[in-house]
Amino acid sequence: MEKQIIFIDTEFIKLQDLLKFAGLVETGGQAKILIQDGFVTVNGEICTMRGKKIRNGDRVTLDDDILEVRQS
């Protein structure tokens, strides 16, 4: 598993935008499909809401990639 720490300077980032920002997907459409099909977890639970607000301390996983969000 590969872990990345993603720094944001806003209160939150939407899940689909986080996947794009971190480079795990190339397009918003690709993110939408992966999220809706249940391939993404937020804090250990499958999340199918692509607009979910990801905040400081949240952990998102897709396949072997782990993203930890921190506020900068």
Side-chain angles (χ1 to χ4, degrees):
M1 291 208 166
E2 186 170 326
K3 178 172 147 182
Q4 291 183 62
I5 296 179
I6 304 294
F7 290 96
I8 60 171
D9 57 5
T10 55
E11 182 185 345
F12 64 85
I13 185 170
K14 290 184 180 176
L15 180 55
Q16 67 182 17
D17 296 335
L18 175 66
L19 296 179
K20 269 183 22 184
F21 181 73
L24 299 186
V25 297
E26 291 182 15
T27 66
Q30 187 181 12
K32 176 181 170 182
I33 291 167
L34 290 171
I35 294 165
Q36 287 180 336
D37 288 351
F39 288 101
V40 180
T41 67
V42 176
N43 299 325
E45 296 185 16
I46 292 172
C47 180
T48 56
M49 300 183 330
R50 66 182 192 269
K52 170 124 177 103
K53 294 176 181 177
I54 306 300
R55 300 174 190 276
N56 183 46
D58 284 341
R59 178 181 275 215
V60 173
T61 53
L62 172 62
D63 297 327
D64 288 337
D65 293 295
I66 300 170
L67 305 175
E68 278 195 18
V69 175
R70 297 277 183 258
Q71 206 143 18
S72 57

